[in-house]
Amino acid sequence: MKIAPREAYGQALVELGQENKDVVVLDADVAKASMTVMFKEAFPDRFFNLGIAESDIVGTGAGFAVAGKIPFVNAYANFLLGNGWDQIRISVCYANKNVKIIGHNIGASSGKDGPTHLPLEDIALTRAFPGMTVIEAADGIEVKKAVRALAKHVGPAYMRVGRLPIPVITKEEDEFEIGKANIIRKGKDVTIIACGVMVSKALEAAECLAERGIEAEIINMHTIKPLDTLTILNSVAKTGAVVTAEEHTVIGGLGGAVAEFLACTKPVPMRIVGSPDRFGVCGTYEEIHEVLGLTVANITETSISLVLLK
Amino acid sequence: MIHNKRQGIIESKELAKSMRKDILLMTHRAKGGHPGGCLSATDIMAVLYKCFMRIDPQKPLWSGRDYFFLSKGHAVPAQYAVLMEMGFLDKEEIKDFREIEGRLPAYPSCESTPGIDMASGSLGQGLSIANGTALAAKLNNSEQRAYVMLGDGELHEGQVWEAMMTAAHYKLDNVCAIVDYNKLQLDGTVEEVKTLGDLTAKWSSFGWKTIEIDGHDFEQIYNSFAEAMQFKRGPTVIIAHTIKGKGVSFMEDEVGWHCASPTDEQLEIAMKELS
């Protein structure tokens, strides 16, 4: 089964809106793409379309937070972070305001729209802000839990949400806690830490690896910041090797976060699977993933070569 | 908050005088800051805080408060001064301006300073914040108002014009912007750096009620805030013609006092002039 993260996100906002009257939703003229249109239809008085003005939408969200509301601020991730970066830095993070920044159409999920519309840098950009929580759920089920957790969490947060359907690999009963990674497959030979759609690919890779006699431990690192370092340390103590996988540049994302931590505490052989230092291309979701190496085959081969190094 | 206009203006003038002294003491001691743009904004802030803002120094986060956002954050000594005079801060804290300890950083920080609701220091952001609080107040059926002070040079920032459209679109009659139009910015006159053209026509064409005043005439300042409160069809901007460095002879209309601090001798002269 596949669910588009944005569909789950739209549904989650409506559920949240019913439970919590303080939730307000802001969008920058992409409500039909971000699926905040669902919230708009359910709660028109708590939905605000600010037009194509990403700097303004972040600031307005921060104003709502000053007044005690819980704003979810939505736009395409690349434009929201590109045009709103300074506003997120000062009016949200430095001001320590309870604003949820939601970046849409992340990674390669805008497909044929091409390089301008493929945000592959947003984790790096948001992770650098002091006090910012950064989340990417592994599937539609987890998106819903993340939205609920974000509403309870007090403080600046960024969540990246994909456009196209991706496999559902978590279960309704799985726990979700911000900052607490989920081990979704036990293994002893190599640790694969992934987020977003790459968690499902890591699971597939684990099956391929098992056929080769390599038992991979898979960690769903839905919270990239704060990083669950304890879970990483415990896993690495067992496996002695780490591969990370993300739909994001290899610079400064999940791999960067894990590498920064392990290099300073417990260096082990490590590889980062992600987009190389380049822009995306026009193509289908799958085609772009092929070009960027965001594939089950790449995770599998990278893991095998790493295990051989141990 | 003083409801009697005559009394309010008398007390606002006294407040402004004290604020100017505090501003000079702060920037002198810190050997830094932006006195010119503080002194141009002083009279407006004095009237606003004394006569219009519904706030409680004992409860800075009182949920029914009016909001004031200093979008031109470099003028924060003026806000510290008014907060000291209103009882949010202690006058002894003058020594803490720009220091590692204390509650008075070089630019506004809502995490550090009671009475300050938003950080600023990167220009252009305040009007969006004011709009957010104003929209929230409307959702809550609250009479709260949001005031925001912008610099004239700051109007070069594109976000301000985005936010102008937002306030007009949502008919935010509880938003009142003030432009501290002192005609000078860091690199020279606004006219030289990048002209603002017909500012009143620009705001007006964006759907705002505009009021142009002499930003050092207390009667005009008072009347403009009162008129803005009465106007119910949308947001109001008060374009206040001011003098950078107002009140200190050698600072007035001098671009060099955008970012500078008075020497011991200059402080002495200035304090005499203000007494």
Side-chain angles (χ1 to χ4, degrees), chain A residues 24 45-50 52-56 59-60 62-64 66-67 69 86-87 90-91 94-97, chain B residues 65 67 69 107-111 117-120 122 125 128-129 131-133 135-136 139-140 159 162-163 166 170:
Chain A
V24 295
D45 59 328
R46 284 191 273 149
F47 175 84
F48 302 90
N49 199 333
L50 292 223
I52 308 160
E54 291 84 7
S55 308
D56 185 39
T60 309
F64 270 110
V66 169
K69 300 292 180 190
D86 190 30
Q87 290 72 19
I90 303 293
S91 295
Y94 176 54
N96 192 24
K97 293 302 170 204
Chain B
R65 69 193 181 279
Y67 301 101
F69 301 105
Y107 290 86
S109 161
C110 46
E111 290 288 276
D117 277 316
M118 178 46 72
S120 71
S122 177
Q125 301 191 15
S128 300
I129 310 293
N131 290 344
T133 56
L135 285 163
L139 261 186
N140 294 339
Q159 186 188 353
E162 295 179 4
T166 299
Y170 286 99

Side-chain angles (χ1 to χ4, degrees), chain A residues 46 52 81 163 208 254 271:
Chain A
R46 284 191 273 149
I52 308 160
L81 296 178
R163 179 185 183 87
C208 302
L254 171 65
R271 294 288 181 271

